[in-house]
Amino acid sequence: MTMWIGRPGNLRAFKEAATTFERSPESGTTEFRSLAGGITTWTPQIRPRRLKLAWQNMLPDDLAHLDRLARRVDGPGPVAVVDPASANWLLPSQALGVMGTHGASAWSGNMVSTGGAQNPNAAVSPYTQLSVVLNAPSTTSDLTYNAPGATGYPVMAGMTVSWWAPSLAAIASELRLAWYRTDGSAVPGTSYTVHVDRPIQRAVPAEAAYVRPVVRLKQSITTTMPIGPAVLRLAAPRDSELRIGSRQTLSVTAQQGRAPLNQYRPISGTTVTDIGGVAHITVPGTGTGTAGGLEWKPGDGSSGFPVVPGQLVCFTNSLPGAEFVGFAFYDAAGDYRGTVLETNTAIVPADAVYVVPFAYCGPIPTPTPIGASSLMAWDPAPAIPAGEGGAFYSVTNYGQTVRPGQLHSRDASLELVEVTHANG
């Protein structure tokens, strides 16, 4: 089990296993007993982690590196620790997608919403679910996970990093890892993948000292979605097995906007015609505003497309002049169970087994192709480990022991406490 300790850009891999390795978070809970015997407890919002390490017969090069760090020979400041036992480097709030001690500043990208208002600095109570707001942007939209008080999360060449934000898969176009040098300048060649249904695993470039995980969001989505859980850590073998299931529910012809016409149901005076095998829509009316629309349905006469409660459905279409889209849900008997309006995504409710997506549009006076469309059903995200966020530490105690008669064989001990910040 390799642990990396050092200053950013100069982390050293301690391959020799520590004989003692304690990594307990500090509770900080205090009890107050009243005269009547009742007990009140108080716990601080910030609870730093402490590390206690000890080695026997430490290798001379490792000991020299540790000695310089502990005695601050190269200058003051915190020490970066990459703990192989950490299942998630992210802040607890980032790992869960909720408001934490760093507020919405734990993310950047001008799209973090605190329960509706698109204001990253809004005062919201802890543990409030945060959402990402995306309204058909004209430029690329990146959601970046920020490390508290640092350029990014510390890394070193030789590591392989794993990053995933499964709850955002439906509206993500890429998962990205942005690399930075010790001076904060970007390392060319950001790592990315378009396979957002699984973690991205990439080797750390030679010049990189920090990494920032990023989700690049689709430009075709208009929605507000919970940020949800995420994980950043050293790559583990099991990461390659993680997947979030998804499937396209529309037929190939419906995806292409083609006949047969029994895959579409006109709304409010709309007509759909087959011209050369392509479905065309005509919506009577003049001026602007909603005049008609279309539902997408299976051609077999069933109540809708089959879904599972808890799934995330994501609908996109190319209907000319579309005003808004939504979803209607039905139970096994075909009874209506609710509608979600003006969003490309929705969570399937507990009592629904069918979904029907729809789109409303303004007047379309002449037959016009309805265009391509997609209805993806995404499974719920798998369980994600809690974030630990303890990347930077201060040395609080350090010791060396020389064994009698063995001048060059030394034992070493190190105690560190996590450097925490109330605000990012």
Side-chain angles (χ1 to χ4, degrees):
M1 183 173 66
T2 302
M3 173 175 283
W4 284 264
I5 306 176
R7 298 189 180 279
N10 188 30
L11 301 181
R12 183 176 181 85
F14 287 76
K15 297 181 180 179
E16 198 174 11
T19 55
T20 299
F21 181 17
E22 296 183 16
R23 55 188 308 277
S24 304
E26 188 173 277
S27 169
T29 300
T30 304
E31 292 187 8
F32 300 93
R33 185 181 295 273
S34 69
L35 294 177
I39 295 178
T40 300
T41 61
W42 174 84
T43 302
Q45 191 174 17
I46 299 174
R47 297 174 291 279
R49 183 178 296 279
R50 295 184 182 274
L51 298 180
K52 295 182 180 180
L53 302 159
W55 294 266
Q56 291 181 350
N57 296 318
M58 196 172 205
L59 296 173
D61 289 348
D62 287 347
L63 182 64
H65 179 83
L66 200 67
D67 187 71
R68 296 180 71 89
L69 288 175
R71 296 192 295 118
R72 300 193 174 192
V73 172
D74 300 314
V79 173
V81 177
V82 178
D83 179 1
S86 176
N88 196 343
W89 296 347
L90 296 178
L91 293 167
S93 57
Q94 289 175 326
L96 194 57
V98 301
M99 180 67 75
T101 57
H102 293 79
S105 64
W107 297 267
S108 60
N110 245 351
M111 61 196 67
V112 178
S113 169
T114 52
Q118 193 172 349
N119 179 6
N121 299 312
V124 176
S125 60
Y127 313 113
T128 299
Q129 175 71 63
L130 296 182
S131 296
V132 58
V133 178
L134 188 61
N135 293 311
S138 57
T139 57
T140 299
S141 295
D142 287 344
L143 180 65
T144 301
Y145 290 63
N146 300 317
T151 302
Y153 288 93
V155 291
M156 191 71 182
M159 300 177 183
T160 300
V161 176
S162 178
W163 157 238
W164 198 26
S167 293
L168 295 177
I171 63 171
S173 63
E174 294 176 2
L175 293 176
R176 302 174 72 85
L177 290 166
W179 311 102
Y180 296 87
R181 302 182 180 93
T182 53
D183 62 2
S185 61
V187 176
T190 297
S191 302
Y192 73 95
T193 178
V194 297
H195 300 294
V196 296
D197 63 335
R198 68 202 72 170
I200 175 177
Q201 297 187 39
R202 293 293 185 272
V204 178
E207 299 179 72
Y210 300 99
V211 64
R212 290 182 193 165
V214 179
V215 179
R216 176 156 289 183
L217 300 162
K218 293 178 180 177
Q219 297 185 28
S220 60
I221 300 293
T222 304
T223 190
T224 299
M225 276 188 61
I227 291 177
V231 57
L232 175 71
R233 63 185 177 193
L234 289 171
R238 62 185 178 275
D239 290 350
S240 61
E241 302 172 1
L242 292 175
R243 293 286 191 281
I244 179 170
S246 64
R247 61 187 175 87
Q248 174 64 249
T249 63
L250 298 183
S251 68
V252 174
T253 52
Q255 293 175 57
Q256 298 171 347
R258 301 182 63 84
L261 300 184
N262 61 356
Q263 302 174 108
Y264 317 101
R265 191 183 77 82
I267 301 173
S268 302
T270 300
T271 58
V272 182
T273 53
D274 180 352
I275 303 178
V278 176
H280 286 63
I281 185 173
T282 305
V283 181
T286 58
T288 60
T290 301
L294 202 63
E295 287 184 345
W296 279 253
K297 301 191 71 173
D300 59 5
S302 58
S303 299
F305 298 98
V307 288
V308 177
Q311 276 190 312
L312 179 72
V313 286
C314 182
F315 176 58
T316 57
N317 72 93
S318 305
L319 195 67
E323 295 287 333
F324 65 89
V325 299
F327 304 88
F329 293 99
Y330 301 87
D331 63 17
D335 295 329
Y336 172 73
R337 285 293 177 240
T339 298
V340 178
L341 294 174
E342 299 191 52
T343 178
N344 293 85
T345 62
I347 301 294
V348 179
D351 55 354
V353 297
Y354 295 110
V355 63
V356 174
F358 56 83
Y360 281 85
C361 60
I364 303 176
T366 58
T368 304
I370 67 172
S373 56
S374 169
L375 178 61
M376 295 292 296
W378 293 81
D379 292 338
I384 294 295
E388 296 186 7
F392 294 96
Y393 290 79
S394 285
V395 177
T396 59
N397 200 358
Y398 166 64
Q400 280 191 31
T401 303
V402 180
R403 297 193 171 203
Q406 302 179 47
L407 183 61
H408 299 292
S409 177
R410 304 191 184 190
D411 300 339
S413 62
L414 189 69
E415 295 185 13
L416 309 100
V417 65
E418 181 186 353
V419 176
T420 58
H421 303 267
N423 296 292

